[in-house]
Amino acid sequence: MASLKDATAIVGIGQTPFAKQLPDSEKTLACKAILAALDDAGIAPSEVDAFASYTMEETDEVEVAKAIGAGDVTFFSKVGYGGGGSCATVAHLAAAIATGQASVGIAWRSRKRGSGPRPWKNTAVQLPTPAQWTRPFGLLRPADEIAMLARRHMHEYGTTRDHLFNVALACRNRANQNPAAMMYERPLTRDMYMTSRWISEPLCLFDNCLETDGALACVIVSAERARDCRQKPVYVHSTAQGLPAQHHGMVNYWNDDPLSGPAWTAARHLWKQADFGPEDVDVAQIYDAFTPLIPLSLEGYGFCGRGEGGAFTEGGALESGGRLPINTGGGGLSEAYVHGFNLINEGVKQLRGTSTAQVPDAATCLVTAGEGVPTSAVLLRAP
Amino acid sequence: MADAKTKQEPLLTPTVDDDGAPFWEHAARGELRIQSCTACGELRFPPRPCCPHCQSFDSEWRKMSGRGRIWSYVFPHPPLLPAYAAQPGYNAIVVELADAPRIRLVGNLVTAPDAPLNSIAPERLRIGAKVQVAFTTLDDGHTVPRWVLERP
């Protein structure tokens, strides 16, 4: 059977500045990030023949291909469920390139979430039918939906606000090392966390991701071609998507086991295809729209047992030098919330050895997409 | 506690689809009914066209006792839609039904069916607390379930 294992590599990454407000349009930001990634790889835009993005992206591949001067495009893909699709863009391009459907793939994300509208803001205008079971009762926003799971996790397993603070702090500490991060010069203290305003109790302000304008992109080619590129290749070792049985996006309250979400499904496939396991991961970039997604993901991807995700964060485990350094650029909580794409590029930086919070000799990195919705993940490996 | 229903900014009402319509029709008659498979008897929620256990398309709506327990709860704070922001400290809860613990419903814990969403003191909420369904009709005529503590 054909294998995707290490058959392709990420050879270019690019990003725009991250800020609450940028003057450029989403389309312009997308083009800037993509051209930066191609320049990083040393590949001409005319050689691009594949694109992958995920939903809630306003700029489509027709516009991007035309603007950057791509050649004939033979593969394009758009993955559903917003932030759950980030890593799947890499997975789809890897599959397309490994099977000869295309040769140079671009995955990207461009958003004006900082200055633009929130996706849930128009709930009063058009209430989608699945929301008939939640929104009339004032469970309105993603923060409310995840807070419900967080409260239950606290009840069942003794997870505490200090555990969630450990997550927020690890991300902030890494952002304080990263000049490109929105929170570069803004240290976080336990007192600030514990006294901040509630967003959806038990979640406070610092349990929530940033709102960011910005864009990122990466370039994927075959492993063979990667040898001739400008940068050290970062191999796509294993990929997976996850849509569990009886799953209901965000409000996963009505399957048999609401606390084992899409991460568990993605993880089973991811590890089955890999040459190594969770204990061999040097650094992880875990989707952090909300702090409780970290303990839930640590359990799902097998870094600890069921219910141990809160306790895992103790003793600086998530910090540099800890058992599993996470979100080394600052993540969605403190670098930028660009629907998780910054986690992909940060994973590449770690395996190139160029992160602002470099894990010494990092050779393996797990990157995950949004937990709580149909999700995806990639394992990256250094040569 | 805050003033009752805000007249100018109504609460969101259910956008009903074909599968969910019977739930709301029964609610309007003051009954909590859950879709169940006519072939194998399994309950399912949210409603859908066919049974995930036996794939039958035949279903009926089984009457529940209306008793349950709080599975989890949150207190949403602003920024919120105006009708909800006008009821500061309100709760949203998930209730698991006593008759079928795997069937869970999102709702609100209140002191009485027509009371505001923030009518009950936050410290009264507790996971595992026994609750009973009650129905209220919103200003626009939609009837929705609410939950009251079994021991007020």
Side-chain angles (χ1 to χ4, degrees), chain A residues 189-202:
Chain A
T189 66
R190 185 176 182 280
D191 188 55
M192 285 166 67
Y193 177 91
M194 290 297 171
T195 58
S196 71
R197 64 189 170 89
W198 295 115
I199 298 297
S200 192
E201 196 179 338

Side-chain angles (χ1 to χ4, degrees), chain A residues 7-315:
Chain A
T8 62
I10 298 176
V11 292
I13 53 174
Q15 69 187 53
T16 68
F18 304 130
K20 191 83 178 169
Q21 278 192 296
L22 293 173
D24 286 336
S25 69
E26 280 189 355
K27 195 193 298 185
T28 300
L29 292 171
C31 293
K32 285 183 174 178
I34 290 168
L35 290 173
L38 285 164
D39 184 55
D40 185 49
I43 293 176
S46 59
E47 294 190 67
V48 174
D49 57 6
F51 287 95
S53 61
Y54 41 122
T55 50
M56 300 163 107
E57 173 66 47
E58 299 296 327
T59 306
D60 65 33
E61 56 275 349
V62 175
E63 293 300 313
V64 170
K66 188 163 55 184
I68 67 162
D72 287 347
V73 176
T74 57
F75 180 90
F76 40 94
S77 159
K78 192 164 203 166
V79 187
Y81 311 104
S86 60
C87 294
T89 60
V90 172
H92 287 204
L93 290 174
I97 290 165
T99 54
Q101 299 175 71
S103 58
V104 177
I106 293 284
W108 87 96
R109 176 45 130 216
S110 177
R111 291 206 95 188
K112 295 197 78 169
R113 175 74 173 263
S115 57
R118 297 176 175 89
W120 46 265
K121 200 172 183 184
N122 290 327
T123 47
V125 178
Q126 171 92 55
L127 198 59
T129 52
Q132 69 190 301
W133 311 112
T134 56
R135 298 258 164 91
F137 307 105
L139 197 73
L140 301 172
R141 307 159 300 179
D144 305 317
E145 295 165 340
I146 296 301
M148 195 72 85
L149 292 175
R151 172 93 66 185
R152 183 70 195 187
H153 200 273
M154 290 171 159
H155 172 79
E156 283 194 29
Y157 300 119
T159 306
T160 65
R161 291 194 67 213
D162 264 304
H163 292 143
L164 301 183
F165 165 65
N166 291 341
V167 171
L169 183 66
C171 292
R172 184 61 62 92
N173 285 342
R174 299 295 83 70
N176 294 157
Q177 296 172 256
N178 174 9
M182 288 176 76
M183 292 293 164
Y184 175 50
E185 292 177 312
R186 307 265 296 271
L188 178 68
T189 66
R190 185 176 182 280
D191 188 55
M192 285 166 67
Y193 177 91
M194 290 297 171
T195 58
S196 71
R197 64 189 170 89
W198 295 115
I199 298 297
S200 192
E201 196 179 338
L203 301 187
C204 70
L205 179 66
F206 296 110
D207 292 311
N208 290 264
C209 61
L210 302 171
E211 303 206 321
T212 306
D213 284 7
L216 302 104
C218 71
V219 185
I220 298 170
V221 299
S222 70
E224 191 181 5
R225 173 154 188 183
R227 287 197 285 271
D228 303 327
C229 289
R230 194 174 278 168
Q231 301 284 353
K232 183 170 126 180
V234 169
Y235 294 109
V236 179
H237 182 70
S238 177
T239 70
Q241 290 183 268
L243 166 56
Q246 296 297 310
H247 176 68
H248 195 103
M250 289 306 286
V251 286
N252 196 36
Y253 314 143
W254 15 73
N255 73 4
D256 286 359
D257 186 4
L259 294 181
S260 75
W264 295 72
T265 304
R268 278 191 288 274
H269 187 74
L270 191 75
W271 297 124
K272 198 167 69 183
Q273 305 296 319
D275 290 345
F276 55 92
E279 65 283 0
D280 304 308
V281 168
D282 295 325
V283 57
Q285 316 296 336
I286 301 179
Y287 196 93
D288 58 344
F290 309 102
T291 55
L293 299 184
I294 301 296
L296 289 170
S297 297
L298 290 171
E299 295 171 21
Y301 286 98
F303 293 101
C304 59
R306 169 75 188 256
E308 296 171 357
F312 187 95
T313 69
E314 293 170 3

Side-chain angles (χ1 to χ4, degrees), chain B residues 2 8 38 40 49 53 70 89 110 115 131 136 139-140:
Chain B
Q8 66 279 26
T38 314
C40 75
H53 300 277
I70 296 179
V110 290
V131 295
T136 188
D139 286 344
D140 69 347

Side-chain angles (χ1 to χ4, degrees), chain A residues 137-138 148 199 246 253 255, chain B residues 48 72-73 77 79 90 104 108:
Chain A
F137 307 105
M148 195 72 85
I199 298 297
Q246 296 297 310
Y253 314 143
N255 73 4
Chain B
R48 69 203 69 162
S72 188
Y73 61 96
H77 290 251
Y90 81 89
R104 306 182 187 95
N108 307 104

Side-chain angles (χ1 to χ4, degrees), chain A residues 151, chain B residues 70 72-75 89-94 107-110 117-129 131 149:
Chain A
R151 172 93 66 185
Chain B
I70 296 179
S72 188
Y73 61 96
V74 298
F75 299 104
Y90 81 89
N91 63 72
I93 66 175
V94 172
N108 307 104
L109 188 69
V110 290
L117 298 188
N118 61 353
S119 55
I120 194 154
E123 55 270 22
R124 306 274 335 254
L125 278 86
R126 181 177 59 78
I127 289 177
V131 295
L149 288 170

